[in-house]
Amino acid sequence: MRKTFVPVVFVFFALFVSVSCSRDGRTADGAYGGAAAPAARTLSKAAVMRDSAAEMEAGFVEEMAGSGVSDGQSSSVERKLVRNASVSIEVKSLEESLASVESLAENLGGYVSNSNTSKTKVFMTLRVPAARFDEAVSGAESFGRLLSRSVSVDDVSEEYYDLDARLQTRKILRDKLSGYLKQASAVEDLLAVERQLNDVQSEIESMEGRMRRLNDLIDLSTISVTMQLPSYSDTSSSGLVLPDLSGKFRETVSSILKFFSSLAMTAIVFIVCGVPLVLVIGFFYWLSFGKLGLVKKFFARLRGGK
């Protein structure tokens, strides 16, 4: 009985010591879990915050799906739309049309972001407020004869609100990590929290850049305008292609004038350069083999001497 009692008492004593140490945060050595304990607690808090951020993002996505943003149903959530258009017109004067399109963009509160001009064509890119998109397209079409038009509207609501939710949760996580950074005392704790804080800050900057680009595309619509001069043919109301006789006549006259001017230039060159050359050749012939015949007389003397 006595032999059994001693081990039992020893076991109860050991359990009592371990429970007491766990309550006041001490180990059997009397120290706080070594140098790794504060770091473990700090890192565990940061890990919990990351898990909370992920849960918040997932909950927001589910909320958006339930409200109809992702499936195209009507909802109270404001839709984020990106509007683009392309207009091609035929104009009589490129300079006048160019000035008219620039004035249109300025009057609507927009601007010309790009412009390329050639001899017969002008390409322009307009950025106008989304609220005045239809007005800008109609105005661009009115400056000439419409050749083609295309309009596209992209719904980026799901991408926008998902990005916004992830951005907000990352900001909350950044603030929490900043608080942990101030509380940490050990060097290992500071380095570990600072690495996580830098990663979160990089994610925030990337998301903010993407959000700015999305807001720019949503707030300002893009309209591409192509203006070109009329060609030598036109289309009547019946759809038949009729030649531009006046243009063809001018082209024919211009070709004939070019031919005769080339012929006259050739004659002038022959007179200036060819006639003197012929005279020089004739003179040498007369001197050598003609009436004077110096070369002929020379060979005659050679034959007589023999």
Side-chain angles (χ1 to χ4, degrees):
M1 181 69 179
R2 187 174 181 180
K3 293 180 179 180
T4 308
F5 178 76
V6 174
V8 172
V9 172
F10 178 77
V11 171
F12 274 103
F13 179 75
L15 291 175
F16 176 79
V17 172
S18 63
V19 171
S20 299
C21 291
S22 63
R23 287 180 178 177
D24 62 4
R26 298 177 183 271
T27 63
D29 300 329
Y32 279 100
R41 287 196 299 273
T42 304
L43 293 178
S44 63
K45 289 181 179 180
V48 169
M49 283 306 304
R50 280 190 172 277
D51 294 340
S52 300
E55 292 177 0
M56 292 172 64
E57 293 176 10
F60 188 87
V61 172
E62 291 179 0
E63 181 182 351
M64 290 298 99
S67 61
V69 171
S70 60
D71 59 5
Q73 299 175 358
S74 59
S75 65
S76 58
V77 179
E78 180 184 1
R79 292 196 172 278
K80 303 297 181 179
L81 305 177
V82 177
R83 296 177 172 86
N84 297 291
S86 177
V87 176
S88 179
I89 58 176
E90 187 180 77
V91 297
K92 296 181 179 179
S93 173
L94 293 180
E95 294 181 357
E96 294 180 0
S97 302
L98 180 62
S100 299
V101 174
E102 290 177 347
S103 300
L104 173 67
E106 293 177 359
N107 294 335
L108 295 179
Y111 62 94
V112 177
S113 64
N114 185 28
S115 177
N116 294 318
T117 305
S118 65
K119 190 174 182 180
T120 60
K121 186 176 295 186
V122 173
F123 176 80
M124 304 177 68
T125 302
L126 312 182
R127 302 298 307 282
V128 297
R132 313 194 71 174
F133 174 75
D134 295 334
E135 186 177 353
V137 174
S138 300
E141 295 175 356
S142 65
F143 295 131
R145 187 170 68 87
L146 180 64
L147 300 178
S148 64
R149 175 184 60 184
S150 63
V151 177
S152 65
V153 180
D154 298 327
D155 191 343
V156 296
S157 303
E158 184 176 358
E159 178 184 1
Y160 182 89
Y161 289 115
D162 176 68
L163 180 62
D164 183 63
R166 291 190 288 115
L167 178 59
Q168 298 306 321
T169 54
R170 287 300 186 278
K171 288 182 178 180
I172 295 173
L173 179 58
R174 179 190 60 186
D175 296 340
K176 292 293 184 181
L177 289 174
S178 298
Y180 297 155
L181 189 64
K182 295 178 182 178
Q183 297 174 4
S185 57
V187 176
E188 294 180 358
D189 301 350
L190 291 172
L191 294 177
V193 177
E194 192 171 23
R195 281 195 298 269
Q196 293 192 12
L197 185 59
N198 290 336
D199 293 341
V200 172
Q201 182 62 35
S202 297
E203 293 177 359
I204 289 175
E205 292 175 357
S206 177
M207 292 178 184
E208 286 178 340
R210 176 58 181 166
M211 183 65 74
R212 285 193 295 268
R213 290 190 292 271
L214 275 178
N215 281 323
D216 179 67
L217 293 175
I218 293 169
D219 296 337
L220 292 176
S221 299
T222 303
I223 302 174
S224 300
V225 181
T226 302
M227 298 174 289
Q228 64 183 46
L229 294 174
S231 59
Y232 284 120
S233 61
D234 199 358
T235 304
S236 66
S237 58
S238 61
L240 298 176
V241 178
L242 302 177
D244 185 359
L245 298 179
S246 60
K248 291 294 184 181
F249 177 75
R250 289 193 299 269
E251 185 178 358
T252 302
V253 172
S254 177
S255 299
I256 294 174
L257 291 176
K258 287 181 180 179
F259 171 76
F260 281 107
S261 63
S262 300
L263 185 62
M265 185 62 65
T266 302
I268 292 174
V269 171
F270 176 76
I271 293 173
V272 173
C273 299
V275 171
L277 180 62
V278 171
L279 293 176
V280 170
I281 295 173
F283 173 75
F284 278 103
Y285 180 81
W286 174 79
L287 187 64
S288 302
F289 303 99
K291 188 174 182 181
L292 186 59
L294 295 178
V295 175
K296 185 168 61 175
K297 291 178 180 179
F298 174 75
F299 282 107
R301 287 180 180 180
L302 289 177
R303 287 195 299 269
K306 291 181 179 180

